[in-house]
Amino acid sequence: MSNQNEQALRAEIVQVGKLLYDRSLIVATDGNISARLADNTILITPSGLCKGLMSPDQLIVIDLDGRKVGPGTQANQHLKPTSETAMHLEAYKQRPDVLSVVHAHPPYAITLSMVGITLAECMLPEAIMFLGLTPTTPYSTPASQENAAAIRKAIVGHDAILLQRHGSLTVGNSPLNAYYRTETLEQVARITYMLNQLGGAQTLPPFQVEKLLKIRQEMDLGRAADEADFCEICGVCHIDGQHTKTESENQNGSEVDLVRSITERVIQELQK
Ligand SMILES: [Zn+2]
């Protein structure tokens, strides 16, 4: 990657830091952002700075083992890479397609994770297309190696992950692209929170989800976990071209699932 591209990425990371901070997706010195450079080194935010008030030359270049590389800049000589470096590097190692990683502390998403309300539901069309189904990883200590282990499996199949009691991890093909996923994740959490105040809402019926999944595929946004996620959670199963839950899934499901499944089939019939 040319210096020009590195300079552009530095500017974009600074812009994302400001967006995260201004929208209260991080506070104080929270959060971290990184981007992969062409030589497979990583441009990453430093530890201990407010990400809403950074300058481009404060960003640090590290290798995939987390060591500071390159000559650095005068402004970052004394700075260390973020304490969440291991989690960022894990995402790059597991996903060669990932060019940027954003970690934030979105308040609605954290709140829901603490009371056991999942974001992995087929509720909002934009979220289904852009995020897929967001899993919640078990709690692990922030800024520790535990976090890298906590996301190891989930990141393979997902672009957005909720870290229980802690925050979000989103990835993308640019810092802004990964940032937009953080914003969408928090929007889903906010709406889910409001829906819970009103007693909840029905999920989208499988045939509607399937249409959204088709768009997701066409936009090249499909991910490894989609088939299992959308089959198990939303009832979209690709068996002989029929998109309904299998009998065994229905038998294993709770009564609520059964009622939901029947309701969805009735709606589906009525809309034919
Ligand atoms: Zn954090």
Side-chain angles (χ1 to χ4, degrees), residues 22-43:
D22 288 350
R23 298 185 67 94
S24 298
L25 296 163
I26 52 174
V27 298
T29 61
D30 288 356
N32 23 79
I33 310 149
S34 66
R36 197 197 297 259
L37 297 168
D39 60 358
N40 221 16
T41 56
I42 308 294
L43 189 59

Side-chain angles (χ1 to χ4, degrees), residues 187-204:
Q187 179 76 343
V188 173
R190 200 157 160 243
I191 293 169
T192 304
Y193 176 89
M194 291 191 281
L195 283 173
N196 271 273
Q197 308 299 305
L198 300 171
Q202 279 209 335
T203 54
L204 276 168

Side-chain angles (χ1 to χ4, degrees), residues 15-211:
Q15 187 183 18
V16 165
K18 191 167 162 35
L19 284 166
L20 287 167
Y21 188 67
D22 288 350
R23 298 185 67 94
S24 298
L25 296 163
I26 52 174
V27 298
T29 61
D30 288 356
N32 23 79
I33 310 149
S34 66
R36 197 197 297 259
L37 297 168
D39 60 358
N40 221 16
T41 56
I42 308 294
L43 189 59
I44 198 159
T45 49
S47 168
L49 289 189
C50 174
K51 309 311 176 298
L53 302 169
M54 286 184 307
S55 63
D57 54 353
Q58 287 177 317
L59 302 176
I60 296 167
V61 180
I62 58 171
D63 63 18
L64 284 177
D65 293 319
R67 288 182 295 250
K68 236 174 157 177
V69 292
T73 66
Q74 220 174 357
N76 71 25
Q77 291 299 325
H78 62 291
L79 296 171
K80 288 184 186 156
T82 170
S83 56
E84 294 288 11
T85 293
M87 183 166 65
H88 285 246
L89 295 180
E90 189 65 34
Y92 292 113
K93 286 174 192 165
Q94 297 293 337
R95 291 274 301 276
D97 61 308
V98 162
L99 296 180
S100 183
V101 178
V102 170
H103 166 56
H105 294 172
Y108 282 94
I110 294 172
T111 303
L112 295 187
S113 82
M114 290 176 69
V115 292
I117 296 175
T118 180
L119 297 186
E121 291 273 15
C122 279
M123 298 292 263
L124 297 164
E126 296 288 340
I128 289 170
M129 287 188 288
F130 192 44
L131 296 183
L133 294 178
T134 302
T136 303
T137 60
Y139 177 74
S140 57
T141 308
S144 74
Q145 285 287 340
E146 284 174 28
N147 270 339
I151 65 145
R152 192 162 293 146
K153 271 191 187 163
I155 196 65
V156 174
H158 302 90
D159 290 332
I161 298 173
L162 182 53
L163 313 168
Q164 197 182 47
R165 285 181 187 263
H166 179 189
S168 57
L169 184 81
T170 58
V171 298
N173 58 18
S174 71
L176 271 172
N177 182 249
Y179 164 76
Y180 291 145
R181 288 200 167 96
T182 306
E183 236 184 27
T184 303
L185 181 149
E186 178 66 343
Q187 179 76 343
V188 173
R190 200 157 160 243
I191 293 169
T192 304
Y193 176 89
M194 291 191 281
L195 283 173
N196 271 273
Q197 308 299 305
L198 300 171
Q202 279 209 335
T203 54
L204 276 168
F207 82 100
Q208 292 289 11
V209 176
E210 220 220 338
K211 285 195 267 179

